[in-house]
Amino acid sequence: MTEETPGFEEKPDVPSGATPDDAEPKAAAPSEEEEAAAPAGDTDQTVGLTAQLDQVRTALTERTADLQRLQAEYQNYRRRVERDRVTVKEVAVANLLSEILPVLDDVGRAREHGELVGGFKSVAESLETVVAKLGLQQFGKEGEPFDPTIHEALMHSYAPDVTETTCVAILQPGYRIGERTIRPARVAVAEPQPGATPAAAKEEKTDDEESGGTEEV
């Protein structure tokens, strides 16, 4: 039995005339085909990633456009609902106040005849305050030009002292809520007398005559 000397390791046999470096195996050098194939693979991978990135950007643009469209539709829906709500409220209030107009007419006639006194006066004034808070406005005055959109002519006459169709008497006041007319003002109207010279023209003519009469020759 052979004794191994400690501290010494067996080394592979090295051929004579060879250096120690020749004893270690060397990696095979890459061929020309492998060297050409490596950059081509990287290029294909880059192209693939660029295509995927373009797809993601396109999808993101489409989803953003969808979100903006939905947001615009929602805003339009909110405005439409709010507009409809206001319209329904105005119609409901107008219908309610239309039923109260005869009572307000009675109050107005009582006031004209001096019968609005005592407890009846307090109730009438409270009623007028309430309807005013609801937006009810009275209109129609004597002397204002006749407007068929807000006036209803119940009586017609001619007058020499008017230059246009004019409301000369308010038979029943009109009422409105905002821009909505609940009832037109019922009036008596007067038109200029056919063939008559308007008062303004008469005054102007008189002034011209007076100024001409005092003119020195």
Side-chain angles (χ1 to χ4, degrees), residues 4 13-14 24 32 34 45 102 116 118 121 142 150 154 156 166 169 176 186 204 207:
E4 295 181 358
D13 296 336
V14 179
E24 297 180 358
E32 294 180 357
E34 292 177 348
Q45 185 177 7
L116 198 62
K121 179 180 179 181
E142 295 182 3
I150 60 174
L154 301 182
H156 177 270
T166 306
R176 67 164 63 98
R186 292 164 181 168
E204 183 177 355
D207 293 340

Side-chain angles (χ1 to χ4, degrees), residues 168-202:
V168 294
I170 306 300
L171 306 178
Q172 204 172 43
Y175 290 96
R176 67 164 63 98
I177 297 179
E179 299 299 326
R180 182 189 298 273
T181 299
I182 298 179
R183 187 183 73 185
R186 292 164 181 168
V187 300
V189 299
E191 292 183 347
Q193 188 74 32
T197 304
K202 285 183 178 180

Side-chain angles (χ1 to χ4, degrees), residues 39-53:
D42 294 342
T43 302
D44 293 341
Q45 185 177 7
T46 302
V47 172
L49 292 176
T50 303
Q52 292 180 1
L53 181 60

Side-chain angles (χ1 to χ4, degrees), residues 70-80:
L70 289 174
Q71 186 176 9
E73 292 177 355
Y74 176 67
Q75 294 295 335
N76 293 333
Y77 168 76
R78 286 187 59 185
R79 285 193 291 266
R80 185 169 61 254

Side-chain angles (χ1 to χ4, degrees), residues 140-151:
K141 295 181 180 180
E142 295 182 3
E144 64 184 7
F146 176 76
D147 184 352
T149 61
I150 60 174
H151 297 138

